[in-house]
Amino acid sequence: MSERALVLGGGGSSGNAWEIGVIAGLFDIGLDVTEADLIIGTSAGATVAVQITSASPAQLLADILSAAPQPPTGPVGAGGRRVPLKAVSDQMERTSRIIAAAADAADMRRRMGAGALELEAAADGSWQAKWHATVAARLSSPHWPEQTMLITAVDAVSGDPVMFGRHSGVDLVDAVAASMSSGLPYRIGGNTYIDGGYRRNENADLAAGYARVLVLSPFGGRSRHPLDWGMQLASQVDELRAGGSRVETIFPESSVEHLFGTNAMDLSLRPPAAQAGYNQARTLAEQLTEFWR
């Protein structure tokens, strides 16, 4: 078996910040998970994967905590929680209808791709360049790292899962942009792609054959899909353990769950999410030291 794999699941803007906070906190207790033999990044986790292999976790955390304050996204609703922006709520409603109509996971992916292509046909064509520039600005380096990395996506036409890597012939910025395209599709050459989370939100099962697998899941391992589709993290963990892997998972603590989910795209929540991840990681030394080393 190969040794250590780090899996970074999707989770929006606040999920990205929380994962960086966790990794920085682990680094401060002497566990450098950025040296994993394999790093798997999906959606927001794809950005984290690139960031931690080209910049120090401490600097990434400091950048989040020192960023200019962002205005809250959406009004405050019942219970003090923010109501998502219309674009976010519309996307949730649209994808929920697709999930409900799908026969299985493969059918869902094809329907998601078809829906994304319909949105593209109705758009003005400027999104691709803007999204590429946005993603490029978030990455510490535009070059694939030397260590093995997989960035997940889904082919928008066939619905087939795709894994980009250093030898796939795809530019790193394009790979991350495709992995994070949950609405409109992202074009690379003659192909179009949508978010890698439509395969599985963490895609931890891609670490099969690794002795130790550490999974960070901002959404707490949950899935919006029917349980019998096996999309939830628990099914992925079962598959890994059946193959002989030891697996540890890290989820946000219940006291900060409101920072994720429907609020995951709220930029004002990045600093508290990063700080929560950092504080949580500092309590995991005993649990993870023997496992990772």
Side-chain angles (χ1 to χ4, degrees):
M1 268 193 164
S2 300
E3 280 303 313
R4 300 173 298 185
L6 174 65
V7 178
L8 302 165
S13 181
S14 60
N16 167 279
W18 175 80
E19 289 182 337
I20 288 173
V22 170
I23 292 166
L26 293 176
F27 186 84
D28 275 3
I29 62 174
L31 293 177
D32 185 3
V33 297
T34 71
E35 295 182 341
D37 302 291
L38 168 68
I39 299 179
I40 298 169
T42 295
S43 198
T47 305
V48 179
V50 177
Q51 290 171 320
I52 63 171
T53 54
S54 53
S56 74
Q59 185 59 56
L60 293 169
L61 175 64
D63 290 346
I64 295 171
L65 298 180
S66 63
Q70 299 290 321
T73 298
V76 176
R81 297 191 176 188
R82 295 191 180 101
V83 177
L85 285 177
K86 188 174 188 301
V88 177
S89 59
D90 286 351
Q91 169 73 354
M92 291 292 287
E93 291 175 8
R94 183 181 72 85
T95 54
S96 291
R97 289 195 298 271
I98 292 173
I99 292 169
D104 53 29
D107 184 39
M108 179 273 295
R109 291 193 299 269
R110 288 190 292 270
R111 289 171 181 261
M112 287 290 184
L117 292 169
E118 287 178 5
L119 291 177
E120 181 189 40
D124 63 8
S126 65
W127 179 82
Q128 172 99 10
K130 291 178 180 177
W131 184 232
H132 183 277
T134 297
V135 172
R138 295 174 180 173
L139 304 184
S140 310
S141 169
H143 305 296
W144 285 96
E146 288 299 316
Q147 70 200 100
T148 304
M149 178 182 292
L150 293 178
I151 302 296
T152 65
V154 169
D155 187 292
V157 175
S158 68
D160 293 336
V162 178
M163 277 65 73
F164 297 118
R166 184 158 53 96
H167 301 296
S168 62
V170 171
D171 177 81
L172 178 61
V173 176
D174 284 334
V176 175
S179 186
M180 297 177 64
S181 296
S182 59
L184 290 167
Y186 188 82
R187 294 186 172 274
I188 303 176
N191 298 316
T192 51
Y193 302 95
I194 55 174
D195 200 300
Y198 292 131
R199 179 186 182 273
R200 280 173 155 178
N201 197 50
E202 298 82 15
N203 291 302
D205 57 298
L206 297 178
Y210 281 76
R212 289 164 287 168
V213 182
L214 178 63
V215 185
L216 275 60
S217 175
F219 290 154
R222 294 183 295 273
S223 172
R224 297 165 59 202
H225 307 90
L227 292 180
D228 60 4
W229 289 6
M231 302 278 280
Q232 65 276 17
L233 180 58
S235 291
Q236 302 169 51
V237 171
D238 287 345
E239 292 170 26
L240 288 169
R241 288 176 175 160
S245 300
R246 294 177 60 194
V247 185
E248 290 283 352
T249 58
I250 304 178
F251 305 150
E253 294 179 331
S254 59
S255 60
V256 297
E257 284 184 350
H258 63 284
L259 301 177
F260 309 99
T262 56
N263 292 325
M265 302 310 296
D266 188 339
L267 296 180
S268 73
L269 299 181
R270 284 179 57 77
Q275 189 65 60
Y278 180 84
N279 295 343
Q280 181 180 354
R282 306 262 306 167
T283 70
L284 298 174
E286 183 176 350
Q287 173 187 343
L288 293 178
T289 297
E290 183 276 332
F291 167 76
W292 191 251
R293 290 179 175 169

